[in-house]
Amino acid sequence: MSLRTAGSVLVIFLWSVAVVLGQYGWRVKYTTQSICTLKGSSVDLFCSYTYPSGYTVTTTLWFTKIVNLRDDPDYKDRVTYRSDRMNGHTLKITDLRESDSAEYKFKVITDQTGGKYTGDPGVTLSVTDLQVKVTTTWWSTTLTCSTTCTLTGNPTYIWYRNSKIVQEDSSPSYSVYFQTEDRFYCAVKGINSPAVSVEGHSYFHVTYTHQRICTLKGSSVDIPCSYTFPRGHSVSETKWYTKGKLDDAPQILNPGFGGRVEYLENMQSDSTLRITDLREEDSAEYKFRFRTDQTTWEPTFPGTTLTVTGLQVKVTPATVTEGQKVTLTCSTTCTLTDNPTYIWYKNGHVTTQSNSLFLNPVSSEDAGRYSCAVEGHEDFPSAEETLTVTYGPKNTSVSVSPSGEIMEGSSVTLTCSSDANPPVDKYTWYKKNVTSAKASGQSYSITNIISEDRGEYYCEAQNRKGSMNSTVLMIVVAGKQTSVMTVAVGIIVVVLVLILCVSGFMWFR
């Protein structure tokens, strides 16, 4: 290949590259390709764009049907353009109408001849209204918030029953399981559908008054429900049942069975199952079914779950020292229905009425046996729980034996007593103004007392919770006594000596 030919090829290549780069220098990027939104609402259509270097943008516009939206009388006062420095552009359309449904495109025009570009395809906008679609089955009526397209942004559907909110959910459907003359409508982002009525729709349904019931062992319970059925049917039989524990088969609760089951009903619209003398094994899910002259209907949705519980006193903390705080709670395995009031007993006697018993600070006098009961069901109290309060020694005192005057040469026993929990495990004896202890043990004996033993004595009582000194006991030691016989003999001797002395004096004279 000659040099000239090679040069020509290079020029053609560079020109081709320039053309390609120029072509791909144009771009319009839309945030989304399709939008579905509601009639009466507003919408933002956003795009960003690029253009070849050396060009200057003179005009940007959104259009549909080849008409600039700013010039379209159908969009008068409803269109707003907003741009930013990063070549972003937003079209806002307010008060949307179904006629606004169309493909919207963005166009860039520059100062160069032929220097314009349209982003194609554009954004497809669908404008829809809300309608309530009613679907009736033999057990319920389903209302669906219907639109002609799937709304953008996973909206929340709000359902109203007579202007009162009954459901907020991402699902557009709401089910009605009862006959009613009420009117229903749905809303999304403040846009409402027309209201509809489900009056006249007939179906089988059972409504349980309570989803859950928690009640006391030994008491009675009423489990009520109401039911509906199509016109032209006549109820011939009603049954309450629960599932068996072995094969999960329905266990029919026959009235009068075991003397604990009773039906209270009018056989046309409601029924109540009453169970007496409740036991913990009665805890189960209870359901209702009925038979008409044309069919037997058994609901598949949940019934009423009954939980039977006993009462138990729970002490927190389990061990407590005098001066601390302690809480006694009447504990159950479930939350009792009807927010009951609890009655508290101490050693078999009523103390107070409250949900919990707070002792702050707790004292040794609070120790005892506690139980609780539900007001109105005092015959079913909890088992007693013992509250033990530990404390250091107190009321420490000293007694002396034998009592009375203490003489030299005699013996005496001092005994120390003290109230403590746990019991005192160490007694120590002291004599006032003497540094070292005299003895240990609950009793201290002093034998062959001498005058030096007189003084003030006290004991110290100690357990793992603390210690306490007794009051001081004064021991007064008297001198030795002389016996009556000794005194008499002494007198006789003195008298005899005097007589002899007098007799001798007379004899010598």
Side-chain angles (χ1 to χ4, degrees):
M1 180 183 295
S2 66
L3 183 60
R4 179 177 294 179
T5 303
S8 300
V9 171
L10 179 59
V11 170
I12 294 172
F13 174 74
L14 293 175
W15 179 84
S16 300
V17 170
V19 171
V20 171
L21 289 175
Q23 177 69 25
Y24 284 94
W26 297 100
R27 185 185 183 191
V28 173
K29 182 180 180 181
Y30 301 100
T31 303
T32 182
Q33 292 299 121
S34 62
I35 296 176
C36 173
T37 192
L38 290 172
K39 175 183 176 182
S41 66
S42 299
V43 69
D44 288 340
L45 309 183
F46 178 79
C47 75
S48 59
Y49 61 93
T50 58
Y51 54 92
S53 60
Y55 287 64
T56 300
V57 175
T58 58
T59 306
T60 58
L61 60 96
W62 286 88
F63 70 93
T64 183
K65 305 173 187 175
I66 322 179
V67 178
N68 187 339
L69 294 182
R70 285 175 170 168
D71 300 328
D72 191 332
D74 288 341
Y75 293 89
K76 184 178 181 181
D77 299 325
R78 297 193 300 121
V79 169
T80 303
Y81 283 8
R82 187 175 69 252
S83 59
D84 59 34
R85 296 179 180 179
M86 299 301 294
N87 296 338
H89 216 293
T90 301
L91 168 67
K92 177 181 278 293
I93 310 174
T94 60
D95 189 22
L96 285 166
R97 307 163 185 174
E98 291 184 64
S99 58
D100 293 334
S101 298
E103 182 182 10
Y104 292 78
K105 299 178 182 179
F106 183 76
K107 188 172 187 178
V108 182
I109 301 175
T110 68
D111 57 351
Q112 302 291 328
T113 302
K116 56 185 178 181
Y117 185 77
T118 298
D120 191 13
V123 179
T124 300
L125 174 65
S126 300
V127 181
T128 180
D129 61 356
L130 295 176
Q131 296 291 333
V132 177
K133 182 179 178 182
V134 182
T135 305
T136 301
T137 66
W138 62 294
W139 68 86
S140 68
T141 295
T142 299
L143 308 178
T144 303
C145 207
S146 177
T147 54
T148 56
C149 56
T150 302
L151 292 173
T152 304
N154 297 321
T156 296
Y157 294 86
I158 303 175
W159 281 96
Y160 293 83
R161 174 184 174 186
N162 296 336
S163 301
K164 183 179 180 180
I165 295 176
V166 291
Q167 176 177 292
E168 295 185 51
D169 198 83
S170 58
S171 170
S173 298
Y174 174 68
S175 295
V176 182
Y177 297 101
F178 46 84
Q179 297 185 41
T180 178
E181 298 179 359
D182 296 335
R183 294 180 66 78
F184 298 83
Y185 64 91
C186 64
V188 176
K189 296 180 179 178
I191 307 297
N192 298 344
S193 72
V196 299
S197 174
V198 296
E199 182 182 7
H201 297 287
S202 299
Y203 37 77
F204 288 95
H205 186 68
V206 173
T207 301
Y208 298 96
T209 306
H210 306 287
Q211 286 187 320
R212 297 183 178 276
I213 297 177
C214 173
T215 192
L216 286 175
K217 175 182 175 182
S219 66
S220 300
V221 68
D222 286 348
I223 306 175
C225 78
S226 59
Y227 55 94
T228 60
F229 49 90
R231 294 181 179 89
H233 287 244
S234 178
V235 176
S236 58
E237 184 183 46
T238 59
K239 292 291 184 184
W240 282 91
Y241 67 96
T242 186
K243 297 293 185 180
K245 295 182 178 179
L246 297 178
D247 55 8
D248 207 37
Q251 304 295 310
I252 304 298
L253 302 169
N254 294 314
F257 177 76
R260 299 196 302 122
V261 174
E262 183 181 0
Y263 282 10
L264 309 173
E265 57 187 346
N266 63 16
M267 288 288 288
Q268 291 300 319
S269 61
D270 58 72
S271 180
T272 298
L273 171 67
R274 174 171 292 174
I275 309 175
T276 59
D277 188 22
L278 284 167
R279 306 160 187 176
E280 292 186 13
E281 56 265 29
D282 292 330
S283 298
E285 179 188 4
Y286 290 82
K287 302 183 75 171
F288 177 80
R289 72 184 185 187
F290 61 93
R291 175 180 297 172
T292 71
D293 53 355
Q294 300 180 41
T295 186
T296 297
W297 190 76
E298 179 177 329
T300 57
F301 45 84
T304 296
T305 299
L306 172 67
T307 304
V308 181
T309 180
L311 298 177
Q312 181 181 9
V313 174
K314 183 178 293 185
V315 180
T316 308
T319 58
V320 64
T321 299
E322 188 173 45
Q324 295 179 337
K325 61 182 179 180
V326 64
T327 302
L328 282 72
T329 306
C330 205
S331 177
T332 55
T333 58
C334 56
T335 302
L336 290 173
T337 308
D338 300 329
N339 192 26
T341 298
Y342 294 93
I343 300 173
W344 286 92
Y345 302 86
K346 178 185 177 184
N347 299 329
H349 301 287
V350 176
T351 59
T352 187
Q353 291 184 352
S354 63
N355 290 345
S356 296
L357 195 58
F358 300 98
L359 303 175
N360 184 21
V362 68
S363 73
S364 58
E365 295 178 356
D366 293 321
R369 295 174 286 105
Y370 286 84
S371 61
C372 62
V374 171
E375 187 177 27
H377 300 280
E378 290 84 352
D379 293 339
F380 311 111
S382 70
E384 289 185 326
E385 182 74 17
T386 300
L387 172 64
T388 301
V389 181
T390 59
Y391 50 93
K394 54 186 176 178
N395 301 325
T396 305
S397 61
V398 176
S399 61
V400 60
S401 178
S403 59
E405 189 177 23
I406 301 173
M407 307 298 296
E408 285 191 35
S410 64
S411 298
V412 70
T413 298
L414 307 181
T415 301
C416 191
S417 61
S418 184
D419 178 22
N421 187 23
V424 173
D425 52 24
K426 182 179 181 182
Y427 291 94
T428 306
W429 290 92
Y430 297 92
K431 183 179 181 182
K432 195 171 182 180
N433 299 324
V434 177
T435 304
S436 59
K438 300 294 289 184
S440 61
Q442 189 170 6
S443 296
Y444 170 41
S445 295
I446 307 174
T447 59
N448 195 22
I449 288 178
I450 58 178
S451 59
E452 285 79 5
D453 291 325
R454 67 169 54 92
E456 296 175 328
Y457 290 81
Y458 65 92
C459 70
E460 180 190 64
Q462 184 177 3
N463 68 359
R464 57 185 174 85
K465 291 296 178 179
S467 61
M468 183 183 184
N469 292 342
S470 70
T471 55
V472 174
L473 176 68
M474 173 63 75
I475 294 181
V476 179
V477 180
K480 290 186 177 180
Q481 290 183 339
T482 304
S483 66
V484 175
M485 182 62 71
T486 302
V487 173
V489 171
I491 293 172
I492 292 173
V493 170
V494 171
V495 170
L496 288 176
V497 170
L498 289 174
I499 291 173
L500 288 175
C501 287
V502 172
S503 298
F505 175 77
M506 294 296 295
W507 183 76
F508 284 110
R509 287 187 61 181

